[in-house]
Structure formats: C-alpha cells, structure tokens
Amino acid sequence: MRVVALAGGVGAGKFLRGLVRAVRPENVTVVVNTGDDIEVHGLHVSPDIDSGMYWLAGVMDRERGWGRAGETFRGTEELRRLGAKGAWFGLGDLDLATHLLRTSWLAAGMGLSEATGELCERFGVAARLLPMTQDPAPTMISIVPEGGGVAEIHFQQYWVERGGRDDVKAVRYGGSATMPGPGVLDAIEGADTIVLPPSNPIASIGPILAVPGIREAVAARRDRVVGVSGIVGGVPLVGMADRLLPVAGVEVSAAGVAGYYRDLLTAWVVDRADEGLAERVAELGIRVGITDTIMANDLRAEALARYALSLV
Amino acid sequence: MRVVALAGGVGAGKFLRGLVRAVRPENVTVVVNTGDDIEVHGLHVSPDIDSGMYWLAGVMDRERGWGRAGETFRGTEELRRLGAKGAWFGLGDLDLATHLLRTSWLAAGMGLSEATGELCERFGVAARLLPMTQDPAPTMISIVPEGGGVAEIHFQQYWVERGGRDDVKAVRYGGSATMPGPGVLDAIEGADTIVLPPSNPIASIGPILAVPGIREAVAARRDRVVGVSGIVGGVPLVGMADRLLPVAGVEVSAAGVAGYYRDLLTAWVVDRADEGLAERVAELGIRVGITDTIMANDLRAEALARYALSLV
C-alpha cells in the first residue's frame, strides 16, 4: 500500500513516525512544505523538510518539537554576539551540519529534491521526502507594523523573529508561480491513500496545495484522501493556526478545517473531544472518524495512522 | 610609531599580542597570509586571518595554537557522521560564526579586506588586519602520491588532511598572479618599522612576499625591516618549516632563514640558543640581535617585540 502524506511541522512529524510503523516506510512518500524555507547567514534552511527528516530519523527534539535532540546553539549565540543579521533564527550546532551540506550541494548545482534525498539517505530515513517545489516559494504574511500601513514579511519573520505577535491581514503563497518538485504529482497519482496529517492548514498544507497542479492532483484522488484535524476542542495542538485560520475565513475548529478541505477529503478524523462536531462534518459529505488524536508517543501515533488509513 | 607586521600562524599570533603591548594597537597593521584560505562546506575559511584576529582579540586557544578558546566541534563531528567531503578540516562551533558571517558578506559583494575589517571591529581588535590580496591565492604543494608521479594539492590538504606526511617536491604560490589587497602597499611604504615575526618562511611569509609588488615594497624599506627567527636550535617552534625549507634550498636554522630573507632584512633576532650562528648572519650584512624568543606569555612576547623594534 502506497501512502502519500502532505506535511509540515510538528504535528506532521509525530504522525509520520506513526505512519511508518503502520505502513512499510519504503511505501511512504511525504510531500513537504517549503514555504517557510529561508536563507539564514547564506545557508538554505528548509525547516519543514528538516523537521520531517529529523522526526523520521528519530533524532528530533520531541519536547521542543523542532530541531535535533541534544542540540546546542553555540554558533548562533556567537553570531548574535557578533551582531549578525538573521541571528534571530536559531540554528543549532548539529542542525548546522544539515544546512551546510544542503547549501554546498545546491551551490554545486544539485536540486533541492535530490539534496533532500541525499540527506535522508545519510540520516537513514527510508521514507521518501519530496519538496513540494524546487523553486523559491516563500509564504508571505501581511501585518500592520507599528507605524501603521501594511507590511508583507516572510513567514519566519512573522513567527520566529516577531514571535507571532502581529495581527495578520493576509497570507500569500509564493509557490503559486512555481511547479511541483520532481515526483510529486506522480506520487499523488499513484498513491493508494493520501493523508493530510494534523498540520497547520494555512502555514503548512496551504502552501503545498498552492503549488500549481498539486491541489488538482489531490482533488482528483479525493476518494482516497483522509485528513486528521490538528484543531482539538477549538484550539490548535501546536502553532498559530488559531491566528491564521480566521484570515482565510475559516472557523478555528475541527469542523471549520474540514470545510476548508471539503473539495479534497473523503474522510476526516476528529478527536473524541470534538464528537459534537461530527454531524457538521458529515453534512459536508465527508466521512467522519472519531478517535484519540493526541500523539503522546509513537504507539499512539501508529494507532492514529492505522485508524486514519482504515477510513479510506 | 607605525609598525607593519607580515603574519600567518601561531608564532605570529603570539608575537602580535606582544607587539600591541609595545606599540599602540591602532598603529599596528598586519598584512596577513591568505595562501592557506580554503572553501570548506561552501564557507570561505581564512585560517591565518582568523588566527591573527583571535590572538589579538584574546579569544584564541593558546594551548592548541589555533581556533577559539573553549571551542567545541559538534557541527564538524556531525558533518563527518553524515559523510561530508571536507569534514577533515575541523571547524569549531564558535569558529563557524566567523566563517558564516564572512561568507555571507562575500556573497553579498563585500571584498575580503572589508569583511576582515568588519570582523575585527566586532571582535574588538584595534590593530588593522589586511589580507595580502583579495584574490584567490592558494599555496599549492607538490607531493609524490602513493601511486607515484607528482600531485599538486592545496596546502591545507597537505598539512591538515594528510597530516604533513608526504615528501614535498615543490611549493607554488597562487598569489603570484594577484594584486596586493587595499592598503597593503601604502602601509608598507608608510611604516616606521616592518617586522617579520617568527612565522613559517615558506608557508606563511613566502605567500605574502609572492604577491606582486609586496616583496619589492618591503625590500625598498629594507633599512626598516627586522625579523625574528622561528627556528630555534635548528627546529621550528611550531609547524612544518623543517619540511618545507629544504624544498626551497634553505637550511633549517636561524642562519638559513636569515639568508632566505637577506634582501629584505636590516636586523634579525635569534634565540640565545643560536648565539653560535650570529657570525654567519652578520656575514650576510644583517645586524644580529640575540635574546629569549620563546613567547611563553604576553609579557615575554612584549619583551621580544620591544627588543626587535629597538634594532631598527
């Protein structure tokens, strides 16, 4: 059984660990958001690719949710001391190895997709990670800066540099003028099941669907698509979806997100806490699954993945 | 009193710490060897610039002789684990901050000289460090590889990657087709005293003198030039000068090196251990100074610097 997951961020990372216990890892393809890729100190940093890779390789920091376990930040602290621009983005000392390798490969002419495959091989990741696109596709956030007016800033500036404190006026996906990365459309077309893990719909999944051709490819396989809500009890399990969903006119609830994905989903998994929303989801023509969605460990994540796959 | 030092490596670092105690640091200009600059993981690494900067900033590892005090190598160890080419060159986690800053500035169009000035300012170095040239000027070493024949490899490959184990057939200075960095010739022409610290004549000073115009500029000021021998008792205090001097037909002794510099020197400082060589040096038309040259600490380095300056 071949499974494709669209992914970005912590929720996806936890889910993927369960998915590769439920399905042979070699049969899992992950299409990853690159909308929050950013150049830091001249290095090409792909936070969602690295997150997926680190979670799948088992080298992630489970508590913090991002980066490497046992990480230190001596280089970044030194860069801050030296007044480096961009040092607001904390690159760990182990993490830097990833960015240095990737950046030197890209500089030598390798594409982001091949570089991702090389890194995954060296990290012992058997699942296949595919960047949604190899082209620059920054997710841009419109905020109201202190002086008034509207400023459009990179997603990482909004979330990391400014700590997500701004009111968001709009989200623009830079990938709308790009093309899908190698293998992405083939994987979606050839998948037995397509999963939308509990990732941020606006910051993680939205950018992937905005790459021309991907939303259409997923929609064409709608009967094989199952999603898992990352909103439980009206609150995102992690991140800032509660601040971004309203910008897209989406209610911050498991039912609201199901509506946002309605043209894509055949089934939608909500937490037991949201059992009361099942009827609203069913009214959208979407099959509802109800289970524990809190992935406290790999076994829970595996159970969730098996349950989600069973709905298609 | 304006002093110019030509420098590269540990001996120069120690001497420079003494020099800026003997002369106001603002009046010291250091022309630095860039012949062992190398690109590692896409980063522009300038070992001798950094060495001079770290020694002058007081953040060097005095025991090891290179790099930062309290350094760790977590990033490089991870790069090794991931099979990165170039991971034989150990970049420390603190040290990486320097290379990341420099490389991103160079990529943005800044020259190596300006980047060096910026770094020195941020490290609180009051002396002025000038790269010998802003152009690539690799020192290349011809060795006899295992299979026979002759192979020309970068100085860092010879010394760091291969541990200096090869017989050296020839040394070629890449800077011979470059031009001196901004300010270099002016500094030499305007100096009251020019010092050749106890650096490796072939690996550190030779590349500087090979940049067109620099040897001539120093020779034109010969009456103001004093050098300090890094060879004591026929042995280099650090490094591999004993293996490189013979390639240039130079005897591995304080007298041999004086002969190598004979067109440049008005005075030459040898260690008390080499008192017996004083007559041979004097026969070259060079004034001989005899003192303790072992710089066990900054005070000893200061005394040595004062003594050397007193000879001009």
Side-chain angles (χ1 to χ4, degrees):
Chain A
M1 170 154 150
R2 286 164 301 173
V3 177
V4 165
L6 311 191
V10 182
K14 291 185 177 179
F15 185 83
L16 290 173
R17 286 188 66 78
L19 186 60
V20 295
R21 297 170 71 108
V23 183
R24 286 167 47 89
E26 294 78 6
N27 291 339
V28 172
T29 297
V30 188
V31 177
V32 189
N33 171 40
T34 59
D36 50 4
D37 284 22
I38 188 167
E39 190 176 298
V40 184
H41 317 303
L43 301 178
H44 183 109
V45 179
S46 294
D48 277 354
I49 292 176
D50 295 341
S51 187
M53 184 169 73
Y54 292 162
W55 277 92
L56 284 167
V59 299
M60 71 293 173
D61 187 311
R62 190 179 277 274
E63 297 305 309
R64 196 173 50 216
W66 56 271
R68 301 280 309 262
E71 187 60 288
T72 50
F73 293 85
R74 305 191 73 217
T76 286
E77 283 157 19
E78 186 64 9
L79 282 159
R80 276 193 197 124
R81 196 184 70 76
L82 293 172
K85 286 179 200 166
W88 51 266
F89 197 89
L91 299 178
D93 298 318
L94 299 177
D95 195 32
L96 267 170
T98 298
H99 310 313
L100 285 166
L101 265 181
R102 174 189 292 119
T103 304
S104 59
W105 289 339
L106 295 179
M110 197 186 280
L112 183 61
S113 301
E114 193 186 344
T116 302
E118 274 286 337
L119 281 168
C120 282
E121 193 179 317
R122 295 177 192 217
F123 272 97
V125 172
R128 193 165 58 131
L129 263 66
L130 300 179
M132 65 185 201
T133 178
Q134 299 202 94
D135 307 314
T139 298
M140 303 298 291
I141 308 286
S142 291
I143 62 163
V144 178
E146 280 74 11
V150 175
E152 195 180 51
I153 60 179
H154 190 283
F155 171 77
Q156 300 289 3
Q157 289 181 284
Y158 158 69
W159 182 236
V160 179
E161 184 175 22
R162 299 176 62 84
R165 66 172 183 267
D166 302 284
D167 276 347
V168 176
K169 296 297 172 192
V171 177
R172 184 171 65 83
Y173 297 130
S176 54
T178 65
M179 56 186 285
V184 169
L185 295 185
D186 282 350
I188 292 169
E189 282 158 22
D192 295 301
T193 304
I194 297 167
V195 188
L196 307 186
S199 290
N200 186 318
I202 308 297
S204 297
I205 305 296
I208 303 175
L209 296 172
V211 175
I214 294 187
R215 170 178 280 275
E216 295 74 7
V218 175
R221 307 298 315 286
R222 187 188 166 183
D223 59 327
R224 314 301 304 173
V225 182
V226 57
V228 179
S229 179
I231 309 288
V232 173
V235 178
L237 292 172
V238 290
M240 79 314 286
D242 51 332
R243 278 171 274 179
L244 297 185
L245 283 167
V247 179
V250 180
E251 180 189 290
V252 184
S253 77
V257 176
Y260 175 72
Y261 289 142
R262 65 186 299 170
D263 60 322
L264 304 176
L265 292 176
T266 197
W268 185 238
V269 178
V270 304
D271 194 81
R272 290 192 201 283
D274 290 322
E275 206 164 351
L277 297 171
E279 206 169 327
R280 280 183 56 200
V281 176
E283 281 166 7
L284 298 166
I286 298 169
R287 194 178 315 151
V288 188
I290 302 173
T291 189
D292 288 325
T293 65
I294 310 300
M295 296 175 283
N297 54 49
D298 291 345
L299 281 175
R300 298 288 291 273
E302 180 184 353
L304 177 60
R306 286 188 188 281
Y307 179 76
L309 296 177
S310 76
L311 294 179
V312 176
Chain B
M1 168 151 152
R2 285 163 303 173
V3 177
V4 165
L6 311 191
V10 182
K14 291 184 176 178
F15 185 84
L16 290 173
R17 286 190 65 79
L19 186 60
V20 296
R21 297 171 72 108
V23 183
R24 286 165 47 88
E26 295 78 5
N27 291 340
V28 172
T29 297
V30 188
V31 178
V32 190
N33 170 41
T34 59
D36 50 4
D37 284 23
I38 188 167
E39 191 175 298
V40 184
H41 316 303
L43 301 177
H44 183 109
V45 179
S46 293
D48 277 354
I49 292 176
D50 296 342
S51 186
M53 183 169 75
Y54 292 162
W55 277 92
L56 284 167
V59 299
M60 72 292 173
D61 187 310
R62 190 181 276 275
E63 297 306 309
R64 197 172 49 216
W66 56 271
R68 300 280 309 263
E71 187 59 286
T72 50
F73 292 85
R74 303 193 74 217
T76 286
E77 283 158 19
E78 186 65 6
L79 282 159
R80 271 188 204 132
R81 197 185 68 78
L82 293 172
K85 285 179 201 168
W88 51 266
F89 197 89
L91 300 177
D93 298 317
L94 299 176
D95 195 32
L96 267 170
T98 297
H99 310 313
L100 285 166
L101 265 180
R102 174 189 292 119
T103 305
S104 58
W105 289 339
L106 295 180
M110 196 185 280
L112 183 61
S113 302
E114 193 187 343
T116 302
E118 273 286 336
L119 280 169
C120 282
E121 193 180 317
R122 295 178 192 215
F123 272 96
V125 172
R128 192 165 59 130
L129 262 66
L130 301 179
M132 66 184 201
T133 177
Q134 298 201 94
D135 307 314
T139 298
M140 304 298 291
I141 308 287
S142 291
I143 61 163
V144 178
E146 279 75 10
V150 175
E152 195 179 50
I153 58 178
H154 190 284
F155 171 75
Q156 300 289 2
Q157 290 180 284
Y158 158 68
W159 183 236
V160 179
E161 184 176 21
R162 299 176 62 84
R165 68 172 181 266
D166 301 284
D167 275 346
V168 176
K169 295 297 171 193
V171 177
R172 186 172 62 84
Y173 297 131
S176 55
T178 65
M179 55 186 285
V184 169
L185 295 184
D186 283 350
I188 292 168
E189 283 158 21
D192 296 301
T193 303
I194 297 166
V195 188
L196 307 187
S199 290
N200 186 318
I202 307 298
S204 297
I205 305 296
I208 304 175
L209 296 172
V211 175
I214 295 187
R215 170 178 280 274
E216 295 74 7
V218 174
R221 306 297 316 286
R222 185 187 167 185
D223 60 327
R224 314 301 304 172
V225 182
V226 56
V228 180
S229 178
I231 308 287
V232 173
V235 178
L237 293 172
V238 289
M240 79 311 288
D242 51 333
R243 277 171 275 179
L244 297 185
L245 284 167
V247 179
V250 180
E251 179 190 291
V252 184
S253 77
V257 177
Y260 175 72
Y261 289 142
R262 65 186 298 171
D263 59 322
L264 304 175
L265 292 175
T266 197
W268 184 240
V269 179
V270 304
D271 194 80
R272 290 191 201 284
D274 290 321
E275 207 165 350
L277 298 171
E279 205 169 327
R280 280 183 57 200
V281 176
E283 281 165 8
L284 298 166
I286 298 169
R287 194 178 315 150
V288 188
I290 301 172
T291 189
D292 286 325
T293 64
I294 310 300
M295 297 176 283
N297 54 48
D298 292 345
L299 280 175
R300 297 289 290 274
E302 179 184 354
L304 178 59
R306 285 189 190 280
Y307 179 76
L309 296 176
S310 75
L311 294 178
V312 176

